[in-house]
Amino acid sequence: MAKRVYTFGKGINEGRTEMKNLLGGKGANLAEMSNLGIPVPAGFTITTDVCVEFYKNNRQFPSGLEKEVETALQKVEKTMGATFGDPSNPLLLSVRSGARVSMPGMMDTVLNLGLNDETVEGIIRISGNERFGWDSYRRFVQMYGDVVMGLKPADKDAHDPFEEVMDELKAEKGVKADLDLTIADLKELVGRFKKLIVRMLGKEFPTDPKEQLWGAVGAVFMSWNTPRAILYRKMNNFDDNWGTAVNVQAMVFGNRGESCATGVAFTRDPATGENLFYGEYLINAQGEDVVAGIRTPQQVTLIGSRRWAKDNNVSEEERAAKYPSLEEYMPAAYKDLVYTYTKLEHHYKEMQDIEFTIQDQKLWMLQTRTGKRTAEAAVTIAVDMVGEKLIDKKTALLRIDPASLDQLLHPTFDPEATRNVITKGLPASPGAGTGRVVFNADDAEAWKARGEKVILVRIETSPEDLKGMSAAQGVLTQRGGMTSHAAVVARGMGKCCVSGCGEIEISYAQKQIKFKNALVKEGDYISLDGSTGEVMLGEVKTRPAELSGNFGIIMQWADEAKKLGIRTNADTPHDAAVARNFGAQGIGLCRTEHMFFEGDRIKAVREMILADNLEGRKKALAKLLPMQREDFYGILKAMEGYGVTIRLLDPPLHEFVPHEEESQREMAYEMGISLEAVKAKVNALHEFNPMLGHRGCRLGISFPEITEMQARAIFEAACQLTKEGVDARPEVMVPLVGIVKELASQKEIIVATAKKVMEETGIKVDYSVGTMIEVPRAAVTADEIAKEAAFFSFGTNDLTQMTFGYSRDDAGKFLPEYVAKKILPVDPFRVLDRDGVGKLIKMAVEKGRGVNPKLKVGICGEHGGEPSSIEFCHLTGLNYVSCSPFRVPIARLAAAQAALKNASPAKKVVAKAAGKVFAKAKDMIKNAKAVKKAVTAAVKTVSAKPAAKKVVVKKAAAKKPLLKKAAPKKAAVKKAPVKKAVPKKVAAKKPAIKKATPKKPAAKKMAVKKVAKKK
């Protein structure tokens, strides 16, 4: 039978820090502190495996556990010199949870366990402090009655029943603070607490210490599945099957008098990362008092105490007299604490969150764990620790959560500001926004023009709302998920957005929002926290993002480590400039349709749509041409020297026409046609499933003049920039291709137009034509499509939608339930589905590069900024990922982490491919005695003249994609002469560019600079 109980403490230690999965983080670290000679009250840990057994066994303890606990308890008693349950010399215990990962405050704790009417007299005799004895007893009855016996508030609006009893007694005695209660009052309180338990629960408070112990152990196991613990695990993607350990530890007391104290501290400031010991403590108190806020804690350090006094307008004289630091009040204990925390930080090489108790001037450590911190602190601590030679750059990069960098890139609410939260939606785009409510894009634009800050509130957004979103401080929608239009566009703009607030009711007619407990009308102030999804009534003070020099250092280190290129999704020169400042190496997706809604352009677009013949459409497109040319000129210029992938018109035409009669009437007036004609055209454009309808390349095939106009605008802009000495690098992307002939048809128009423009201007521009792989058929037939494409860009939003058959705009209704019921591990629109969508991507990459080794491959869906998805792209050998501008730094760090965690993925692919080749060679040559001879024979056969060629070329052709994809130099050189009319030199170079440095193909223009830099 596996060992279930491990002791820790001086002379009895059985664990170590590497045993976190078994002992939990707290138990493993208590054992490790014991190993380091740090004073830790003795105790024992019941393993996480027992918790798993407990739940499998219908919430019953496994047989044999009681005996192991008894043996461990005897060791603890011997070490501490006291006996559990002995009235003359009682050992009291604490019982705490301890999962393998930190879950602060999510599970239960019981302190002072072992007290009853007899043992309380024993600790009074030993300590000589009657108040301490009864104060500990009343705390124990209250905590045990709540945690173990389940006497809690009746509902969320009710008060704690124990607190109500205590408040009644204070009122009777005419006192306000707990410390003002006399010893007699505390005795009375214990009695009243016990009567409350009998009255409310119908049973007596247990007096047998062993019964108390097993009740507490069971309660801690049960707390693993409390709603708050389940929610916390869900939020942090922790496994529900891990279970928690239980740590049973001898009590030491911070509430035994004025020579005792308790505190919580961090070895560095968790908010800023400053290398300053940061903590709080209370004299004559127990641990929960510090975090409960019942009393105002004091600062551990003198410098911290003086800063606190300054912030709270407390004079130095008053501070020193009433609120002395631990450094001043107990200098010897403080000195021991400094020595201990320094030892711990140097041992773990990480910022630590510690809990301590001082009993009669002696320091005892109760816990150490990796401290939670803000993104700002994480960056500062990582850089500082590298400078202090505690860690290396690799460790520093791996230690920072890429997603947390969002905190540094957007405005945030002042943490001291009051929040009146009225509802909560999805945290679709991080940041903080405060403004007056408006309900349409025109009003948002108009109100902004007169100097108002606004929040745009929509049931759901469409491309027509773009100008309103641009004008607003933030966006709130009733419908839509994390990849809805509102979410995607807001993230691209760096605007905060809360989407999917299903509880609210929006009335455009009445211009109001009904919340559960509030009614907000146009012009009222609300505030949005895009990082939490909270919606607040009124104005909440914000503070702008501040990027420190340390942020730049981390980004520099990330660039040195990463293999993937990082591009951005940008539709305007402003977005391109923002992304470039954040380190983007090109544009992976420029959506031309977003440009059509600006100013008077929509009129020209609608004129084109309403035209009944080619001549009419061309006339309207001629108006759009200079506008599009201006757009592309600005974007190409902003991203000078880097590739800019411009997607041709993608959405269905019905998105550009109004669907409300009032707007249709306006359009009819502007166009000089009848309302009926407008309605007829709108009805003609109606589709039952527009996302699978007449859109993407299908539009270009039906209306080739649209493709021609856009191509001309791109190349005229590029030629003009080239003439001005600007290095413009357009990459034209045909969307929604599923059949190679679709791409070939559109490519023919693009190439012909490019040739014509270059002849007209006398200027040559390097460009490429590729496609967006977002239809599953395109992935399956990628070897055919790659013959026409210079690059693939995976549009994983649509690819996920089509692979699963989920509408991403409607999936929010059921995906949360799928995740909750573990049908899906995560929302596939947020994290790339490696098992389904991922396999299609891998297949497309292998097939595509099999026929076109120079094929550049990237990703431009929302997954391009998600760390796990970026790791998949690295492992799959993509050249780049593309994401919204404000996610570029996140992608840079995530790409670096992927490279550091998965060294040389290309080599693994090579080995795998080579293995397949050798296996097939072995099967092919039946009479070979060894693999080596078989391969030699195969190579000789390949090198032989006509007769041998006949046998092997067929096989070589089949293997060639594997070798080309994997790209080892030797394999490439061997293969090149067989099939390709390509010089050996080129064939040998290709793999080095493609695989050793993926970013080079991703953005040919900047690869030389990057590689040179690294060398």
Side-chain angles (χ1 to χ4, degrees):
M1 184 180 68
K3 185 175 176 64
R4 293 190 176 115
V5 181
Y6 289 75
T7 53
F8 57 82
K10 188 175 182 180
I12 60 169
N13 202 55
E14 296 178 321
R16 57 187 185 280
T17 192
E18 294 83 10
M19 298 170 71
K20 282 186 179 179
N21 289 355
L22 184 66
L23 303 180
K26 188 175 292 178
N29 286 332
L30 284 167
E32 190 70 5
M33 285 195 288
S34 297
N35 287 331
L36 293 172
I38 290 170
V40 171
F44 58 87
T45 299
I46 303 173
T47 68
T48 56
D49 287 349
V50 177
C51 183
V52 175
E53 285 185 82
F54 176 79
Y55 279 101
K56 284 181 179 177
N57 195 29
N58 197 26
R59 302 184 182 185
Q60 300 294 315
F61 297 117
S63 61
L65 178 64
E66 189 173 351
K67 187 176 180 182
E68 281 195 66
V69 167
E70 185 63 35
T71 301
L73 184 56
Q74 288 171 3
K75 292 182 182 178
V76 174
E77 290 173 333
K78 186 176 180 181
T79 301
M80 298 303 293
T83 304
F84 186 57
D86 180 1
S88 62
N89 185 23
L91 173 71
L92 300 188
L93 302 172
S94 66
V95 181
R96 302 171 187 256
S97 62
R100 66 171 69 178
V101 289
S102 178
M103 294 176 60
M106 294 302 110
M107 291 180 286
D108 288 330
T109 294
V110 178
L111 304 180
N112 305 309
L113 189 139
L115 279 171
N116 55 31
D117 292 349
E118 290 75 37
T119 54
V120 70
E121 296 297 340
I123 65 167
I124 289 170
R125 279 194 303 273
I126 292 167
S127 65
N129 187 330
E130 189 175 8
R131 180 185 180 83
F132 152 69
W134 287 102
D135 179 54
S136 299
Y137 198 3
R138 71 90 186 166
R139 288 171 184 270
F140 172 56
V141 176
Q142 180 175 355
M143 190 174 277
Y144 196 94
D146 175 352
V147 170
V148 182
M149 303 186 77
L151 182 48
K152 300 177 183 293
D155 56 59
K156 64 179 183 178
D157 298 319
H159 293 290
D160 182 280
F162 291 103
E163 292 296 331
E164 286 182 338
V165 170
M166 186 183 286
D167 290 342
E168 286 172 9
L169 182 60
K170 286 184 199 173
E172 289 172 21
K173 302 297 180 179
V175 298
K176 290 185 178 180
D178 297 359
L179 287 174
D180 295 331
L181 292 170
T182 64
I183 295 169
D185 295 336
L186 293 171
K187 285 183 181 179
E188 174 66 21
L189 195 54
V190 169
R192 291 192 186 187
F193 279 171
K194 289 182 177 179
K195 287 178 183 176
L196 173 70
I197 290 169
V198 172
R199 186 173 77 250
M200 300 297 291
L201 301 179
K203 55 184 175 182
E204 298 284 344
F205 183 83
T207 57
D208 178 7
K210 288 191 177 177
E211 181 185 346
Q212 294 172 357
L213 174 60
W214 287 106
V217 171
V220 171
F221 280 152
M222 292 293 288
S223 72
W224 174 252
N225 274 335
T226 57
R228 67 177 184 268
I230 292 170
L231 177 61
Y232 188 85
R233 291 197 296 275
K234 182 180 176 183
M235 289 170 60
N236 291 278
N237 296 317
F238 296 156
D239 194 329
D240 287 333
N241 297 315
W242 284 345
T244 181
V246 176
N247 298 289
V248 180
Q249 189 173 20
M251 284 290 300
V252 287
F253 301 97
N255 63 327
R256 210 158 98 164
E258 298 301 307
S259 63
C260 303
T262 188
V264 176
F266 295 82
T267 58
R268 303 187 187 218
D269 190 320
T272 66
E274 181 183 7
N275 191 0
L276 176 73
F277 190 37
Y278 174 92
E280 297 176 326
Y281 82 107
L282 282 171
I283 300 163
N284 195 16
Q286 284 199 328
E288 72 268 22
D289 297 339
V290 179
V291 294
I294 297 168
R295 290 165 54 190
T296 303
Q298 294 158 228
Q299 298 297 305
V300 169
T301 64
L302 176 58
I303 186 172
S305 182
R306 285 176 172 161
R307 287 181 181 180
W308 171 86
K310 183 179 179 182
D311 291 341
N312 289 275
N313 297 315
V314 174
S315 69
E316 173 61 15
E317 294 73 20
E318 184 182 1
R319 182 205 66 77
K322 294 183 178 178
Y323 312 106
S325 65
L326 182 66
E327 186 175 356
E328 297 165 287
Y329 187 74
M330 295 183 183
Y334 174 79
K335 185 178 177 182
D336 291 342
L337 184 59
V338 169
Y339 171 80
T340 300
Y341 94 70
T342 304
K343 187 173 187 176
L344 286 171
E345 184 172 272
H346 279 77
H347 176 73
Y348 286 102
K349 302 184 186 302
E350 175 63 295
M351 186 262 273
Q352 295 294 294
D353 168 5
I354 60 176
E355 293 179 19
F356 62 91
T357 287
I358 298 168
Q359 178 177 301
D360 299 330
Q361 300 286 346
K362 177 176 173 55
L363 175 71
W364 293 94
M365 298 300 296
L366 305 182
Q367 175 167 280
T368 190
R369 60 186 173 192
T370 299
K372 304 282 185 186
R373 67 206 75 180
T374 64
E376 178 189 353
V379 167
T380 299
I381 291 169
V383 173
D384 284 353
M385 285 190 168
V386 171
E388 294 161 23
K389 296 187 169 30
L390 270 179
I391 59 175
D392 58 19
K393 291 179 184 178
K394 176 182 176 180
T395 305
L397 289 170
L398 291 173
R399 193 167 276 179
I400 301 168
D401 175 14
S404 73
L405 296 182
D406 258 340
Q407 297 174 28
L408 303 177
L409 305 175
H410 299 273
T412 55
F413 285 117
D414 187 331
E416 304 299 319
T418 302
R419 294 181 175 215
N420 180 7
V421 178
I422 50 176
T423 193
K424 193 169 184 179
L426 297 172
S429 182
T434 293
R436 293 178 182 271
V437 167
V438 294
F439 292 92
N440 61 64
D442 289 339
D443 285 348
E445 202 171 37
W447 286 42
K448 183 189 178 186
R450 70 185 194 215
E452 298 278 7
K453 289 185 177 180
V454 299
I455 299 292
L456 178 63
V457 178
R458 301 289 292 162
I459 294 172
E460 59 191 0
T461 62
S462 72
E464 207 160 350
D465 293 313
L466 200 65
K467 61 182 180 181
M469 295 175 72
S470 179
Q473 301 296 305
V475 181
L476 171 66
T477 69
Q478 184 175 337
R479 300 179 193 152
M482 296 293 286
T483 56
S484 63
H485 177 270
V488 172
V489 175
R491 282 196 289 271
M493 292 178 169
K495 300 276 183 185
C496 89
C497 175
V498 176
S499 64
C501 278
E503 290 184 356
I504 66 175
E505 293 179 24
I506 297 172
S507 170
Y508 293 153
Q510 296 175 300
K511 293 195 172 182
Q512 66 179 31
I513 320 167
K514 281 186 181 178
F515 294 88
K516 193 173 182 181
N517 297 308
L519 181 66
V520 172
K521 297 190 175 183
E522 183 181 58
D524 291 346
Y525 275 99
I526 62 171
S527 299
L528 308 179
D529 190 331
S531 301
T532 65
E534 290 177 328
V535 181
M536 291 149 280
L537 198 59
E539 292 182 89
V540 178
K541 187 179 177 185
T542 62
R543 60 181 186 184
E546 297 176 1
L547 300 182
S548 69
N550 288 330
F551 180 83
I553 293 171
I554 288 292
M555 288 296 101
Q556 181 186 334
W557 293 347
D559 289 342
E560 291 169 3
K562 71 181 176 64
K563 305 297 180 189
L564 282 167
I566 308 298
R567 293 191 175 196
T568 189
N569 301 339
D571 310 323
T572 66
H574 171 75
D575 288 348
V578 168
R580 187 161 186 159
N581 287 337
F582 281 144
Q585 301 162 313
I587 291 177
L589 177 62
C590 175
R591 294 156 288 207
T592 55
E593 62 270 13
H594 285 179
M595 304 165 181
F596 288 164
F597 285 95
E598 294 182 13
D600 293 332
R601 298 177 184 205
I602 191 65
K603 293 180 183 178
V605 174
R606 287 171 174 172
E607 184 181 332
M608 183 266 293
I609 293 170
L610 288 168
D612 292 324
N613 52 51
L614 178 60
E615 186 183 345
R617 284 194 295 275
K618 284 193 170 183
K619 183 180 175 183
L621 288 168
K623 295 179 183 178
L624 283 171
L625 176 62
M627 301 174 189
Q628 284 264 274
R629 182 171 60 233
E630 183 186 348
D631 294 329
F632 299 139
Y633 177 92
I635 290 169
L636 287 164
K637 187 174 183 179
M639 205 51 78
E640 178 183 5
Y642 291 121
V644 175
T645 303
I646 300 168
R647 183 179 72 185
L648 299 181
L649 188 63
D650 183 47
L653 294 180
H654 81 90
E655 288 196 8
F656 299 99
V657 295
H659 296 275
E660 299 81 21
E661 185 168 318
E662 185 181 341
S663 299
Q664 289 175 348
R665 196 181 301 279
E666 288 177 16
M667 181 177 168
Y669 177 77
E670 288 173 358
M671 301 285 106
I673 59 176
S674 68
L675 175 61
E676 288 68 28
V678 172
K679 284 185 175 181
K681 193 67 175 181
V682 171
N683 290 335
L685 291 171
H686 172 74
E687 293 179 300
F688 289 103
N689 194 340
M691 295 313 291
L692 296 177
H694 200 189
R695 57 171 284 224
C697 65
R698 300 158 201 168
L699 279 176
I701 290 168
S702 296
F703 306 109
E705 56 273 15
I706 297 177
T707 302
E708 185 181 352
M709 181 278 289
Q710 290 198 295
R712 175 166 281 276
I714 291 167
F715 293 117
E716 285 183 356
C719 286
Q720 179 61 36
L721 285 165
T722 303
K723 184 179 177 181
E724 295 170 10
V726 175
D727 185 5
R729 303 184 180 186
E731 301 167 354
V732 185
M733 183 161 69
V734 180
L736 217 70
V737 164
I739 305 166
V740 67
K741 288 183 180 179
E742 291 176 318
L743 176 58
S745 167
Q746 292 291 282
K747 181 181 176 182
E748 187 179 352
I749 297 169
I750 295 162
V751 171
T753 305
K755 184 180 179 184
K756 197 179 293 184
V757 171
M758 290 181 204
E759 286 173 353
E760 291 168 1
T761 60
I763 294 168
K764 190 180 178 189
V765 173
D766 287 334
Y767 72 98
S768 58
V769 180
T771 187
M772 204 165 180
I773 304 290
E774 47 196 329
V775 177
R777 191 182 190 280
V780 174
T781 61
D783 49 346
E784 296 176 14
I785 293 172
K787 294 172 185 175
E788 295 286 348
F791 63 85
F792 285 171
S793 179
F794 290 97
T796 51
N797 296 345
D798 270 341
L799 188 57
T800 299
Q801 182 169 235
M802 294 191 199
T803 302
F804 276 94
Y806 298 161
S807 162
R808 62 178 170 148
D809 291 322
D810 299 310
K813 295 175 182 176
F814 61 86
L815 277 181
E817 188 176 4
Y818 268 44
V819 174
K821 291 182 176 179
K822 304 193 186 315
I823 293 170
L824 284 172
V826 289
D827 180 344
F829 290 107
R830 297 181 67 180
V831 179
L832 188 73
D833 165 46
R834 297 191 185 193
D835 294 334
V837 178
K839 284 182 179 176
L840 285 174
I841 292 173
K842 281 183 179 179
M843 179 194 300
V845 172
E846 290 177 6
K847 282 176 168 282
R849 285 185 175 153
V851 299
N852 182 0
K854 289 183 178 180
L855 187 73
K856 180 172 62 183
V857 185
I859 183 175
C860 64
E862 278 301 292
H863 301 98
E866 194 280 317
S868 169
S869 307
I870 290 169
E871 181 182 42
F872 169 82
C873 293
H874 171 84
L875 292 169
T876 309
L878 269 62
N879 300 110
Y880 69 86
V881 298
S882 187
C883 56
S884 57
F886 283 87
R887 292 187 74 80
V888 167
I890 294 168
R892 289 165 72 188
L893 178 57
Q897 291 183 348
L900 293 169
K901 290 176 187 174
N902 306 282
S904 304
K907 289 181 182 176
K908 293 177 184 176
V909 174
V910 170
K912 188 178 178 182
K916 288 181 180 179
V917 171
F918 284 123
K920 287 185 180 181
K922 186 178 177 182
D923 292 338
M924 183 181 72
I925 304 172
K926 295 177 182 178
N927 298 323
K929 293 181 180 180
V931 174
K932 184 177 178 183
K933 288 181 181 179
V935 174
T936 304
V939 172
K940 283 179 182 177
T941 308
V942 172
S943 304
K945 300 226 171 159
K949 208 169 191 179
K950 205 170 183 186
V951 176
V952 179
V953 166
K954 204 170 185 183
K955 294 287 177 187
K959 294 175 186 104
K960 191 171 169 194
L962 288 170
L963 290 173
K964 284 294 183 182
K965 172 180 76 77
K969 287 190 180 181
K970 285 183 182 176
V973 174
K974 279 181 188 173
K975 281 293 174 187
V978 179
K979 193 79 175 170
K980 295 283 180 185
V982 180
K984 284 186 182 180
K985 199 172 182 182
V986 176
K989 257 184 184 175
K990 222 178 297 166
I993 296 169
K994 284 296 225 189
K995 289 295 173 182
T997 315
K999 69 178 89 168
K1000 193 164 183 179
K1004 196 176 175 185
K1005 29 282 178 190
M1006 50 76 184
V1008 176
K1009 286 181 187 174
K1010 276 286 174 194
V1011 173
K1013 237 178 186 180
K1014 287 187 178 181
K1015 285 179 182 173

